[in-house]
């Protein structure tokens, strides 16, 4: 096997996040799903944007956020995702390349526009996400760089992008390319509504042995396994994936690999500002430790440190020096 060019290559939604603080009353007035993620069309996105207060725009997307964290910790990364040939597409491409991530997917001409996620952050730090997927859901398999996929230690896929047909086919092909090259495949379940729609696909991938590292939170674990009891959900999956990682918010996280089990508490945070990206950055910390062949507990610890950093400020990308934090606290 050739020496890998990348630690992690990811396929995900290429999204620009538009974030604004708001009161709970606005969530109720707009009829939004507080704390969840809802898909909206282009007209719905415009209506919500008009209702927002002063906002910040920053490139996002679940897998892209994870790569941003990985890159900040020193891992070599590449991203595959679809933007449109428009202003937000240029913003996304600039932002991801600026943090040292290779991004070579050509922009798509014509409609729809580049994806955006309108995020309302309430005083309790809950983020209510409303996503217009736009161009990101039109990633064709022929846009994949299979040589780059085969040249990465880990292929990381986000469940959100499984919903539209075209990128779902692209991700299946990417899994084949990674497997052919003898690389690992990591998958994050992303959200309960995705499992509700595609749980049978995800369970089939797991049963077929195509997932090496599975990321879930406790509610996604329950949705995937049908087990409301946390330990019962763990038991249902632990022998089906080589590495299972389950986060539990303020209660920390658990990972299982074969007969080994590790747990960590959540890293203390003086003031939680915005939980956007907590799971994405947890995955970043875990994967950074994993590609360095760190012990399971250390990987979890890295994840907790990265997640704590991102929830201490607005936005789903790290602002502090994660490499330094890992060195000091890891």
């Amino acid at each position: 096997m050739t020496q890998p060019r990348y630690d992690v290559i990811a396929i995900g939604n290429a999204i620009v996040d538009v974030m604004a603080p708001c009161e709970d009353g606005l969530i109720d007035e707009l009829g939004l799903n507080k704390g969840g993620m809802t898909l909206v069309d282009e007209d719905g996105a415009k209506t919500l944007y008009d209702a927002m207060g002063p906002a910040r725009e920053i490139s996002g997307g679940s897998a892209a956020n994870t790569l941003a964290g990985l890159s900040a910790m020193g891992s070599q990364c590449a991203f595959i995702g679809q933007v449109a040939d428009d202003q937000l597409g240029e913003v996304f491409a600039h932002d991801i390349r600026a943090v040292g991530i290779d991004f070579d997917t050509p922009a798509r001409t014509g409609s729809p526009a580049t994806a955006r996620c309108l995020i309302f952050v309430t005083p309790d730090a809950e983020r209510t996400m409303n996503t217009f997927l736009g161009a990101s859901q039109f990633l064709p398999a022929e846009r994949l760089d299979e040589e780059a996929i085969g040249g990465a230690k880990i292929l990381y896929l986000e469940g959100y992008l499984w919903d539209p047909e075209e990128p779902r086919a692209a991700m299946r092909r990417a899994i084949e390319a990674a497997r052919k090259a003898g690389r690992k495949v990591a998958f994050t379940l992303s959200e309960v509504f995705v499992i509700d729609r595609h749980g049978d696909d995800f369970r089939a991938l797991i049963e077929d042995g195509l997932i090496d590292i599975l990321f879930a939170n406790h509610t996604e674990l329950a949705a995937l396994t049908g087990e409301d009891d946390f330990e019962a959900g763990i038991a249902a999956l632990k022998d089906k994936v080589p590495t299972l990682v389950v986060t539990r918010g303020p209660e920390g996280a658990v990972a299982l690999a074969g007969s080994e089990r590790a747990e960590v508490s959540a890293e203390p945070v003086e003031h939680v500002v915005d939980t956007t990206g907590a799971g994405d950055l947890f995955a970043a910390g875990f994967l950074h430790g994993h590609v360095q062949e760190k012990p399971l507990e250390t990987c979890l610890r890295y994840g907790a440190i990265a997640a704590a950093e991102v929830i201490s400020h607005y936005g789903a990308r790290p602002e502090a020096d994660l490499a330094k934090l890992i060195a000091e606290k890891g």
Side-chain angles (χ1 to χ4, degrees), residues 14-16 41-42 45 82-90 108-116 132-138:
I15 295 176
V16 176
D41 59 19
E42 195 158 6
Q82 190 65 67
V83 297
D85 185 13
D86 57 18
Q87 183 179 3
L88 286 183
E90 292 176 3
R108 186 177 187 271
T109 57
S111 296
T114 294
R116 72 286 313 266
F132 166 58
L133 290 172
S136 69
Q137 60 188 327
F138 296 99

Side-chain angles (χ1 to χ4, degrees), residues 140-171:
E142 55 267 25
R143 290 285 176 91
L144 296 180
D145 185 339
E146 295 190 26
E147 183 177 350
I149 291 169
K153 292 179 183 177
I154 295 174
L155 168 67
Y156 180 70
L157 305 172
E158 66 169 85
Y160 283 132
L161 198 57
W162 200 265
D163 203 51
E165 181 178 352
E166 200 164 16
R168 182 165 66 247
M171 287 195 287

Side-chain angles (χ1 to χ4, degrees), residues 13 15 37-41 45 115-118 129-133:
N13 282 310
I15 295 176
M37 201 288 284
T38 303
L39 296 178
V40 297
D41 59 19
R116 72 286 313 266
C117 182
L118 305 170
M129 301 184 293
N130 304 272
T131 304
F132 166 58
L133 290 172

Side-chain angles (χ1 to χ4, degrees), residues 253-264:
V254 177
L256 297 96
S259 61
E260 183 182 2
R261 176 173 174 144
E263 300 186 36
V264 297

Side-chain angles (χ1 to χ4, degrees), residues 27-279:
I27 301 293
D28 295 336
E29 180 184 334
L30 295 172
L32 303 181
N33 176 28
K34 184 179 178 181
M37 201 288 284
T38 303
L39 296 178
V40 297
D41 59 19
E42 195 158 6
D43 288 340
K46 184 179 184 305
T47 298
L48 292 176
Y49 182 74
D50 289 343
M52 276 183 150
R56 290 179 57 190
E57 294 182 356
I58 184 170
S59 295
S62 176
N65 292 336
T66 296
L67 291 189
L70 277 158
S71 183
M73 285 179 268
S75 292
Q76 298 300 308
C77 303
F79 179 73
I80 298 172
Q82 190 65 67
V83 297
D85 185 13
D86 57 18
Q87 183 179 3
L88 286 183
E90 292 176 3
V91 168
F92 181 90
H94 172 271
D95 285 356
I96 200 164
R97 291 169 182 154
V99 295
I101 299 167
D102 285 353
F103 174 56
D104 299 316
T105 310
R108 186 177 187 271
T109 57
S111 296
T114 294
R116 72 286 313 266
C117 182
L118 305 170
I119 304 173
F120 294 78
V121 185
T122 42
D124 59 2
E126 280 284 355
R127 79 281 187 274
T128 299
M129 301 184 293
N130 304 272
T131 304
F132 166 58
L133 290 172
S136 69
Q137 60 188 327
F138 296 99
L139 174 69
E142 55 267 25
R143 290 285 176 91
L144 296 180
D145 185 339
E146 295 190 26
E147 183 177 350
I149 291 169
K153 292 179 183 177
I154 295 174
L155 168 67
Y156 180 70
L157 305 172
E158 66 169 85
Y160 283 132
L161 198 57
W162 200 265
D163 203 51
E165 181 178 352
E166 200 164 16
R168 182 165 66 247
M171 287 195 287
R172 287 191 182 278
R173 182 162 157 182
I175 291 171
E176 292 177 5
R179 285 289 174 200
K180 184 177 180 181
R183 306 305 188 184
K184 291 184 177 181
V185 176
F187 194 94
T188 178
L189 293 171
S190 294
E191 184 74 53
V192 168
F193 90 87
V194 182
I195 299 168
D196 290 341
R197 291 167 64 94
H198 302 288
D200 287 345
D201 277 356
F202 298 162
R203 285 182 280 270
L205 291 173
I206 292 166
E207 292 288 346
D208 292 342
L210 298 178
I211 305 299
D212 299 289
I213 305 170
L214 180 67
F215 291 95
N217 64 29
H218 63 287
T219 58
E220 293 157 5
L221 177 71
L224 186 70
T225 63
E227 300 284 356
D228 291 331
D229 179 75
F230 181 75
E231 290 300 332
I234 290 284
L237 281 181
K238 69 181 181 65
D239 296 326
K240 296 181 179 181
V241 289
T243 302
L244 173 64
V245 184
V246 186
T247 56
R248 307 181 75 180
E251 296 181 42
V254 177
L256 297 96
S259 61
E260 183 182 2
R261 176 173 174 144
E263 300 186 36
V264 297
S265 301
E267 187 75 5
V269 178
E270 184 174 344
H271 179 54
V272 177
V273 175
D274 169 26
T275 56
T276 308

